[in-house]
Amino acid sequence: MKSRFSVSLFALLTALTFARPAGAQPPTNVPPSPAYGVAERIRAQAEYEYAQSLEGGVSAAEHKRLGQLRANQAINKYKEVVSSKMYRNTWYAAESLYYQARLQETVLDSKANAVADYKTLHNQFQTVPYDDKIAADTSLQTAEQALDKENRTKFPSSLAYTVMDTLVKLWGGPKFGYSYFLAILTISVLVKLALTPLTNKQYAMMKEQQKLQPLIKELQAKYKDKEEQGRKMMELYKERGINPAASCLPLLAQLPIMYLLWYTISVYQYQFSQGSFLWIGSGYAHQFPSFLGVDLSQPDIPILLLYALSMFIQQRMMISPDPQQAEQQRMMAIMTPFMSTYFFLQYKLSSAFILYYLIFNILGTAQQYYYMKKRAGEDGGVPVVATDGAPAPPAVRASTNGAAKPTSARTGLAPKSNGKKKRR
């Protein structure tokens, strides 16, 4: 009984000691953060309950539950400090992020979240002086190694880890720095080839829908009632054998496969610290680490800019011949790469991730260009679209003998032939 009391007292004193580290120097240019003070008191309770749960016994599960509850409460308070405009990029925000990561690593046993918080702390607070800077860098390495071991040994991440590790070894392993890039390239090409039938089907459906744009504009101009307009458009789709929602189905079918590819790269993230590619990992990268990645696990600005350019080109190739849709799609072609680049810069994703997205964009753009060029040769031209905002004129098709064939008055479509020739 005396031994148990001594252990409990020691755990409480340890938690209270960590509530304010020795030598802590909060900034004097901003007022003390109330949320940080509340978070520190809750964290002390969480670490005390966690220490109690390690002793075992019948109440260990209850202590663990209470510890996790208090840890989540403390993390929410720490997040208030980190997101506050007053304390952003200050001692309070850095210390809050450090203890938030430590609670994730110990009490909540969430290694992935801990690594993410430690990386954010390392990347965004390099110039901010705070007490636990050395401890944070050490904890980042420890947490990354623990997460890598977990991904390598636990199912299902072990399967994805084995796939990527096998590809790296096939290209030379850690002794050849480019083997990591070549592994990303290999798995991206294989997945893209597997998705080719679905992608071609998606492009074909989009092409057929684009051909109907002049006729749809004619229906919109003729029928002002929205209900009648929608009914006529569905009749048009039915007559041409087109399902307007069918172009989304191949894309939805690709999403699980693309997620598996992303997951395969994410579980192998720690090993990418041994990889290099062109300027990544070169002597220039070590001279300018804030601009160039020192390895594939670090952010790299040039790769990110190339990714944004590839996305812009791919978006521009998908612009519709319809003037109204084209204007909106041109705006999206600018905004989408800009927002993606901002997101990647904000969260400082590794160059391995950006390379994966860049390779996938390049392959997708090449595939789209080839398909559009092939279809343009088969169609012999593009559908007629009005450029002055007025409804497009009814399409006129050429018959087999070169004569013009009028379109249907109801739908603007050419009458379907039954394949039989009339006798004279």
Side-chain angles (χ1 to χ4, degrees):
M1 183 71 179
K2 184 177 180 181
S3 175
R4 179 177 292 274
F5 175 77
S6 300
V7 172
S8 301
L9 181 61
F10 174 76
L12 177 60
L13 291 175
T14 301
L16 292 175
T17 300
F18 278 117
R20 180 166 294 281
Q25 298 293 329
T28 57
N29 58 336
V30 292
S33 170
Y36 180 80
V38 173
E40 288 289 86
R41 290 192 291 272
I42 300 176
R43 178 174 65 85
Q45 299 174 12
E47 293 185 340
Y48 169 73
E49 295 292 346
Y50 174 70
Q52 288 288 317
S53 67
L54 296 179
E55 296 181 15
V58 292
S59 59
E62 180 63 17
H63 283 300
K64 183 178 181 180
R65 186 189 68 82
L66 289 175
Q68 292 177 344
L69 176 63
R70 295 290 182 264
N72 284 315
Q73 292 173 346
I75 287 173
N76 289 332
K77 284 296 179 182
Y78 283 133
K79 287 181 177 179
E80 290 182 19
V81 180
V82 174
S83 60
S84 172
K85 293 183 178 179
M86 179 180 295
Y87 300 105
R88 188 177 299 170
N89 297 325
T90 65
W91 180 94
Y92 286 107
E95 288 290 318
S96 296
L97 198 54
Y98 169 71
Y99 284 113
Q100 175 181 321
R102 205 177 77 170
L103 287 173
Q104 294 279 11
E105 182 182 9
T106 56
V107 181
L108 297 179
D109 193 26
S110 178
K111 297 180 178 61
N113 289 336
V115 168
D117 290 338
Y118 282 132
K119 280 190 173 182
T120 303
L121 181 61
H122 176 77
N123 293 328
Q124 298 185 7
F125 292 86
Q126 290 182 354
T127 59
V128 177
Y130 61 98
D131 295 27
D132 295 288
K133 198 165 192 175
I134 298 177
D137 292 338
T138 305
S139 299
L140 172 59
Q141 296 179 6
T142 304
E144 283 184 325
Q145 293 172 0
L147 179 61
D148 183 69
K149 181 180 179 181
E150 182 179 281
N151 290 335
R152 186 173 64 251
T153 56
K154 286 190 176 181
F155 182 84
S157 61
S158 58
L159 294 178
Y161 191 100
T162 302
V163 170
M164 184 59 69
D165 196 53
T166 302
L167 290 175
V168 170
K169 290 178 180 178
L170 286 175
W171 286 107
K175 295 181 180 180
F176 181 49
Y178 275 50
S179 61
Y180 297 90
F181 161 72
L182 293 173
I184 296 175
L185 176 63
T186 302
I187 196 171
S188 299
V189 170
L190 292 176
V191 171
K192 195 63 181 176
L193 289 175
L195 293 176
T196 295
L198 290 174
T199 307
N200 287 341
K201 188 175 182 180
Q202 178 189 0
Y203 289 156
M205 292 179 178
M206 291 173 61
K207 189 75 174 179
E208 291 299 322
Q209 290 185 19
Q210 286 183 0
K211 289 181 180 179
L212 293 184
Q213 289 303 317
L215 304 177
I216 291 176
K217 290 176 67 68
E218 184 181 359
L219 292 177
Q220 290 173 344
K222 184 176 181 180
Y223 301 99
K224 301 300 182 182
D225 182 66
K226 295 295 182 181
E227 184 176 348
E228 180 70 11
Q229 185 182 113
R231 189 172 63 82
K232 292 294 182 181
M233 288 174 62
M234 293 306 297
E235 289 179 2
L236 175 62
Y237 283 131
K238 185 177 181 180
E239 184 175 345
R240 294 297 295 268
I242 296 177
N243 183 358
S247 61
C248 299
L249 297 179
L251 179 61
L252 293 176
Q254 296 178 47
L255 292 180
I257 302 176
M258 295 179 67
Y259 170 77
L260 288 176
L261 175 57
W262 173 86
Y263 180 72
T264 301
I265 295 176
S266 67
V267 298
Y268 204 70
Q269 183 70 13
Y270 177 70
Q271 297 297 331
F272 284 122
S273 60
Q274 305 177 67
S276 59
F277 173 68
L278 297 179
W279 59 84
I280 300 176
S282 65
Y284 293 106
H286 288 84
Q287 292 179 12
F288 307 100
S290 60
F291 184 73
L292 303 176
V294 296
D295 54 59
L296 288 178
S297 68
Q298 299 299 320
D300 184 83
I301 302 301
I303 289 292
L304 182 57
L305 295 178
L306 288 175
Y307 160 76
L309 178 62
S310 69
M311 177 175 282
F312 173 76
I313 294 174
Q314 189 176 35
Q315 293 283 334
R316 290 283 297 182
M317 290 177 63
M318 298 177 66
I319 292 180
S320 170
D322 180 35
Q324 293 182 354
Q325 292 189 20
E327 186 66 27
Q328 182 179 4
Q329 290 175 346
R330 287 191 187 97
M331 182 65 66
M332 291 299 297
I334 298 174
M335 292 301 299
T336 304
F338 175 79
M339 294 176 62
S340 299
T341 303
Y342 175 79
F343 172 81
F344 290 149
L345 280 174
Q346 186 73 15
Y347 289 93
K348 297 186 180 296
L349 294 186
S350 68
S351 51
F353 274 118
I354 309 301
L355 274 174
Y356 148 62
Y357 287 118
L358 174 61
I359 292 171
F360 223 75
N361 276 358
I362 293 175
L363 294 175
T365 302
Q367 183 181 17
Q368 185 176 348
Y369 175 78
Y370 172 78
Y371 182 83
M372 292 175 64
K373 187 176 181 180
K374 180 181 177 183
R375 293 288 297 184
E378 293 175 354
D379 297 340
V382 294
V384 180
V385 179
T387 58
D388 56 354
V396 177
R397 291 188 176 184
S399 63
T400 55
N401 60 2
K405 184 181 293 186
T407 58
S408 170
R410 182 174 65 88
T411 63
L413 300 176
K416 293 185 178 180
S417 174
N418 56 10
K420 297 181 179 179
K421 295 183 179 180
K422 295 182 178 180
R423 297 182 179 178
R424 293 183 180 179

